[in-house]
Amino acid sequence: SKLERVLRHGIHILLTDETFNFSNLRKLLLDIEYRNDLIKKLKYILPTMKLKLSSLFNTNDPTEGRPTFVYGEADPNHHNIEQDSLAPKTMYFNEYKKYKFVSFCGNKNNIEGWRISSMWAHYAQNHKGVCIEIDTDKLIVPDTIKGCWIDYNGKFPPPFTREQNIEQYFQDNDKFILYTKSPEWEYEQEYRFISSSEEYLDITGAITHIYCGCRMCSLTQKRINSIGYKTSKIIPSLISRKLSLNGIL
């Protein structure tokens, strides 16, 4: 197959390179895997114009949305306390897992999101991926999806006990539970859409540009150009390689 030929060619280059080591081979394999996964996702996103919402359990901050759980005399005093369906932690996460999200790196403080080099490094395979630019004013967002800027004040939700109504607790504290992160994440300039019922965010007519990382190979960009035009009539001039540590390419 084409992938096998590319792989064999890459391994041949590595094996004939005096600096060859297995870490280089591993890097090559990871790059190929990432490239194929990227193309697969774009082949879904661009024709359907949909972004899939993910579980909040997949956020990169393990402290996000975690309150203190208060156990009272009514809570069983044994090591299987979390198996109790009415234990505070169990009640909380049963409700928490109903919510799904999709996040954007927005334009804020006179900084355009796609220009933030650290975002490319962390979320686009070190500048080898893409950034799909969305005009949020063109989005048609249903009432079942709520959008909000993330607040980076690091404030956690108030303590939760089994005596509280879990649905009311989420309504009263949704800002702290769903839209608050620690200050060290502020560089991400995150704007987040949340829903407890929807699976996708419709982005029809809202894509304004597709930026390819400065370390993306030209072959991958050509494939993206083809996918964009054939599936969504996104002309190649709207798909460009951008950003380096020294500025715009």
Side-chain angles (χ1 to χ4, degrees):
S1 70
K2 188 173 183 179
L3 173 60
E4 290 173 340
R5 291 198 299 274
V6 171
L7 183 58
R8 287 200 299 270
H9 176 67
I11 292 176
H12 173 73
I13 292 174
L14 289 175
L15 291 175
T16 55
D17 188 341
E18 294 181 357
T19 62
F20 167 78
N21 58 59
F22 281 101
S23 65
N24 291 339
L25 175 59
R26 181 176 180 273
K27 182 176 181 296
L28 172 67
L29 295 175
L30 288 174
D31 282 349
I32 292 174
E33 180 182 10
Y34 175 80
R35 187 183 312 147
N36 289 328
D37 186 54
L38 173 64
I39 295 299
K40 179 181 178 181
K41 288 177 178 176
L42 289 175
K43 282 184 175 180
Y44 174 81
I45 292 172
L46 297 182
T48 65
M49 286 293 168
K50 291 182 178 180
L51 295 178
K52 185 174 177 60
L53 276 67
S54 300
S55 168
L56 279 170
F57 283 105
N58 294 333
T59 61
N60 47 21
D61 183 357
T63 66
E64 182 182 333
R66 273 37 172 190
T68 299
F69 300 105
V70 179
Y71 295 89
E73 295 181 359
D75 294 301
N77 185 22
H78 55 76
H79 67 282
N80 290 324
I81 188 171
E82 300 308 344
Q83 296 180 10
D84 175 11
S85 62
L86 293 180
K89 191 173 182 179
T90 304
M91 293 171 62
Y92 180 86
F93 285 115
N94 282 341
E95 184 70 17
Y96 188 76
K97 68 182 181 182
K98 296 178 183 178
Y99 292 86
K100 296 183 178 181
F101 81 108
V102 61
S103 293
F104 294 86
C105 177
N107 299 337
K108 203 172 185 181
N109 301 321
N110 296 319
I111 301 174
E112 293 177 285
W114 70 267
R115 293 177 182 267
I116 302 175
S117 184
S118 55
M119 295 295 287
W120 285 93
H122 296 162
Y123 298 107
Q125 192 73 357
N126 199 19
H127 300 262
K128 296 175 183 175
V130 301
C131 170
I132 300 177
E133 184 179 69
I134 302 290
D135 184 345
T136 53
D137 290 336
K138 296 180 180 179
L139 291 175
I140 300 176
V141 183
D143 293 338
T144 49
I145 298 179
K146 179 183 177 182
C148 189
W149 285 102
I150 292 294
D151 194 336
Y152 296 99
N153 59 27
K155 293 182 179 179
F156 293 97
F160 177 71
T161 68
R162 72 158 68 209
E163 286 77 21
Q164 293 172 276
N165 178 284
I166 185 62
E167 294 181 357
Q168 188 63 49
Y169 177 85
F170 267 71
Q171 290 179 20
D172 294 342
N173 300 286
D174 64 337
K175 179 65 179 177
F176 300 115
I177 298 171
L178 305 175
Y179 300 101
T180 299
K181 297 182 74 170
S182 301
E184 58 262 32
W185 299 100
E186 190 168 6
Y187 73 93
E188 293 187 343
Q189 301 184 174
E190 182 179 348
Y191 189 89
R192 179 180 292 182
F193 287 99
I194 292 272
S195 178
S196 60
S197 59
E198 302 294 337
E199 295 289 333
Y200 298 93
L201 176 68
D202 189 344
I203 58 172
T204 301
I207 293 180
T208 54
H209 208 106
I210 297 178
Y211 299 106
C212 299
C214 61
R215 288 176 174 162
M216 176 183 287
C217 70
S218 57
L219 176 62
T220 302
Q221 185 180 343
K222 287 180 180 178
R223 292 180 67 184
I224 294 173
N225 287 348
S226 177
I227 295 169
Y229 182 74
K230 289 181 179 179
T231 63
S232 311
K233 303 303 179 185
I234 298 175
I235 60 175
S237 62
L238 292 181
I239 304 175
S240 58
R241 294 177 72 182
K242 294 283 186 179
L243 199 68
S244 72
L245 294 180
N246 298 318
I248 308 302
L249 293 177

